[in-house]
Amino acid sequence: MEMKSLIDKIFQIGRESGLNDMEVYYSAGSSLSLKVFQKELDTYNLSESEGLSLRGVYKGKMGYSYTEKADEASIEQLVRDVIENATIIDSEDEEVIFEGSKEYKKVNSFNPGLSMVSEEEKIKFVKNLEEEAFKLDKRIASVQACVYGDGYGETIMSNTKGLFLQEKSNIAYTYISVVAKEGEDIKTGLAYRAGNDFNEFKVKEIAREAVDEALALLGASSVKSGEYKVIIKNSAAADLLEAFTGIFSAEAVQKNLSLLKGKLNEKIASDNFTLIDDPYMEDGLASKSFDGEGVACKYKKIIDKGVLKTYFHNLKTAKKDGVETTGNASKGSYKSSIGISPSNFYVEKGERALNQMIADLDKGILITELQGLHSGLNSISGDFSLAALGYLIEGGNISRSVEQITVAGNYFEMLKNIEETGSDLKFGLPGGAYIGSPSLKIKRLSIAGE
């Protein structure tokens, strides 16, 4: 049955059963994951999913249900489950079905070219990537992981107020982790790419990046404990931002789980720090025209030159605060309830390259990797204490690699101590591929070493 006809049928049976306003959220998708180990295809996972959810108002209460079978035979059970859910729900929060925004900006996040790439080409690519890493240097002892993956998704939202929205997107990613060994010294290096243009994935370039990182860390040692000027490299800065993204959610603020409560229009960061949420970003991996409630997404600065301008809102949190939603309602899948999340969320880049920022430092630390992000920080207090890897900077140059150090500080204080943002904006690993940052120069952070 064609999806529009199926949705109309759901609304018809819903009305006959006593439901008032209703909304259908349909999603379908597929994902492929390939992993190579020692020249052989070690893992091949192909999965497909499809389903839809129904929200509906019954006797003044909102009920939810979902089904994995998007067909006519599922409709009556879907409607019954909404009524049952609405009857037992005890939330006092009023929820509404959104009638639609005045205008939706078209976003193109689907590349038909990616869907034309054959599985044979993808397998050949990931095998070549592993082979290239071994060829580059005899000190590469092993490849821990060599992965290619891609996915496709389609979303349809429709409601009884006349809204009908449809969007599709696709994404590909690859990463390789290599192990370099020299004597008893062992170090790892990682490189990754994400996007929806397969032709942008260059085997030699990606392998070289991972190998160079591993080799550069050989011979690392600690440094004396103390306060240092620090540059947090782009990928590590993006990882740190991802760990603290929740503090910008209005839901966290309203539940007293964010220290940003009551700080709107106040200076909370350095003049050099601007934080952007851009759903229309060209080639952005979270670009979209509407959010999980059917609200038109919008470009916004969360922090503008250090001043906190807004939180992320959905319809419910916006109503509580008496403001407009920011179009950041999220719905992880058709099974999920409404949450809040950013789109393409990143620190605005500055003017100068990383090597120029390094050249200004008489003595400092360049941090390239932060470890233990899920256990070594508290997103509510902002405190963090994280194992780190990187390089010692002396006289404006990298003098040697550094390991066995812990960097500690407070995220809210760190934002105030950002002296410069680099020009090297980079987005994170596949799981956080929508969160990005350039390298950040910090006035001081505590480093525990020798």
Side-chain angles (χ1 to χ4, degrees):
M1 194 179 205
E2 195 255 335
M3 191 49 59
K4 181 79 168 65
S5 301
L6 179 65
I7 291 170
D8 289 343
K9 185 83 172 170
I10 292 170
F11 290 158
Q12 178 196 328
I13 292 175
R15 285 192 193 96
E16 290 169 358
S17 303
L19 294 180
N20 297 321
D21 294 338
M22 285 170 279
E23 172 194 274
V24 166
Y25 181 98
Y26 167 82
S27 66
S30 63
S31 66
L32 171 72
S33 177
L34 306 171
K35 183 178 181 182
V36 167
F37 183 69
Q38 294 181 350
K39 300 183 180 179
E40 297 295 327
L41 187 61
D42 182 57
T43 303
Y44 174 97
N45 286 325
L46 178 63
S47 63
E48 295 186 349
S49 65
E50 181 189 44
L52 61 81
S53 63
L54 175 64
R55 288 200 303 158
V57 178
Y58 181 74
K59 295 184 177 178
K61 292 283 189 180
M62 184 76 77
Y64 295 81
S65 67
Y66 67 84
T67 178
E68 294 176 6
K69 294 179 179 175
D71 58 24
E72 198 168 350
S74 305
I75 297 177
E76 291 193 1
Q77 185 63 50
L78 197 65
V79 170
R80 277 198 300 270
D81 288 348
V82 167
I83 292 170
E84 185 180 333
N85 182 250
T87 304
I88 62 172
I89 209 154
D90 60 358
S91 172
E92 293 302 312
D93 293 331
E94 185 188 346
E95 292 188 54
V96 296
I97 302 292
F98 183 65
E99 65 273 10
S101 298
K102 288 179 183 173
E103 174 179 11
Y104 293 88
K105 186 170 179 177
K106 186 156 177 59
V107 172
N108 183 17
S109 52
F110 179 77
N111 177 12
L114 179 59
S115 60
M116 304 297 287
V117 180
S118 69
E119 281 192 3
E120 288 76 15
E121 287 177 271
K122 297 169 187 177
I123 292 168
K124 183 181 177 184
F125 165 83
V126 76
K127 283 184 173 181
N128 288 347
L129 183 57
E130 183 194 50
E131 184 183 356
E132 181 67 20
F134 279 117
K135 275 167 48 179
L136 284 170
D137 197 285
K138 63 181 187 298
R139 289 170 291 178
I140 299 303
S142 65
V143 173
Q144 282 183 321
C146 188
V147 173
Y148 169 86
D150 59 32
Y152 157 81
E154 178 184 10
T155 300
I156 294 174
M157 282 193 73
S158 180
N159 67 34
T160 49
K161 294 184 175 181
L163 185 72
F164 188 88
L165 300 168
Q166 190 168 9
E167 204 158 57
K168 60 181 180 177
S169 63
N170 55 5
I171 179 176
Y173 63 88
T174 184
Y175 62 89
I176 182 169
S177 173
V178 304
V179 177
K181 186 175 182 186
E182 193 166 49
E184 297 301 307
D185 196 9
I186 297 173
K187 292 292 182 292
T188 60
L190 174 75
Y192 60 91
R193 297 289 186 274
N196 64 6
D197 186 349
F198 184 79
N199 295 320
E200 290 296 309
F201 290 4
K202 311 292 186 186
V203 164
K204 290 182 183 295
E205 178 187 285
I206 298 166
R208 168 59 68 189
E209 188 179 312
V211 168
D212 284 352
E213 182 178 285
L215 297 178
L217 289 169
L218 289 170
S221 57
S222 191
V223 295
K224 291 196 178 300
S225 298
E227 287 203 337
Y228 287 80
K229 284 208 169 196
V230 169
I231 297 174
I232 305 177
K233 197 178 176 186
N234 51 14
S235 53
D239 289 343
L240 193 58
L241 174 59
E242 182 185 0
F244 282 100
T245 294
I247 65 176
F248 300 101
S249 161
E251 187 173 29
V253 171
Q254 290 169 0
K255 290 179 176 177
N256 293 315
L257 295 175
S258 171
L259 286 181
L260 296 181
K261 184 171 185 173
K263 299 283 180 69
L264 284 180
N265 299 312
E266 287 187 16
K267 193 81 179 292
I268 64 159
S270 150
D271 290 345
N272 301 307
F273 189 77
T274 293
L275 196 52
I276 293 169
D277 184 56
D278 183 3
Y280 307 132
M281 185 178 183
E282 193 173 343
D283 300 325
L285 296 180
S287 295
K288 53 192 173 184
S289 62
F290 60 90
D291 73 359
E293 293 175 312
V295 176
C297 294
K298 58 181 83 169
Y299 172 95
K300 68 197 79 73
K301 291 182 178 179
I302 303 300
I303 297 175
D304 187 8
K305 295 179 181 174
V307 177
L308 179 65
K309 291 296 188 180
T310 185
Y311 308 121
F312 291 124
H313 280 283
N314 59 20
L315 287 169
K316 187 163 76 172
T317 62
K319 187 170 184 180
K320 272 189 180 179
D321 280 0
V323 297
E324 275 189 25
T325 175
T326 57
N328 287 101
S330 63
K331 198 169 168 68
S333 79
Y334 64 89
K335 299 178 184 180
S336 308
S337 56
I338 299 293
I340 294 176
S341 67
S343 61
N344 302 298
F345 188 42
Y346 61 94
V347 179
E348 187 175 55
K349 66 182 181 181
E351 300 293 325
R352 299 199 306 156
L354 176 60
N355 59 0
Q356 293 175 295
M357 293 164 69
I358 290 169
D360 285 349
L361 276 190
D362 184 47
K363 187 167 186 182
I365 304 284
L366 170 64
I367 290 174
T368 58
E369 184 182 339
L370 293 167
Q371 300 170 337
L373 283 156
H374 297 291
S375 57
L377 59 79
N378 184 318
S379 61
I380 298 175
S381 69
D383 293 332
F384 60 86
S385 179
L386 304 165
L389 296 173
Y391 302 94
L392 179 65
I393 301 167
E394 294 179 301
N397 293 296
I398 289 174
S399 60
R400 64 175 176 86
S401 51
V402 172
E403 65 177 357
Q404 295 178 337
I405 61 169
T406 300
V407 57
N410 180 278
Y411 191 68
F412 299 102
E413 288 302 312
M414 191 193 89
L415 293 182
K416 296 173 185 173
N417 287 321
I418 293 172
E419 292 188 325
E420 187 177 2
T421 55
S423 60
D424 55 344
L425 174 62
K426 186 175 185 179
F427 285 77
L429 278 163
Y434 58 94
I435 295 180
S437 178
S439 296
L440 306 176
K441 184 190 272 187
I442 315 297
K443 195 178 294 180
R444 62 182 172 275
L445 280 172
S446 176
I447 303 288
E450 295 173 345

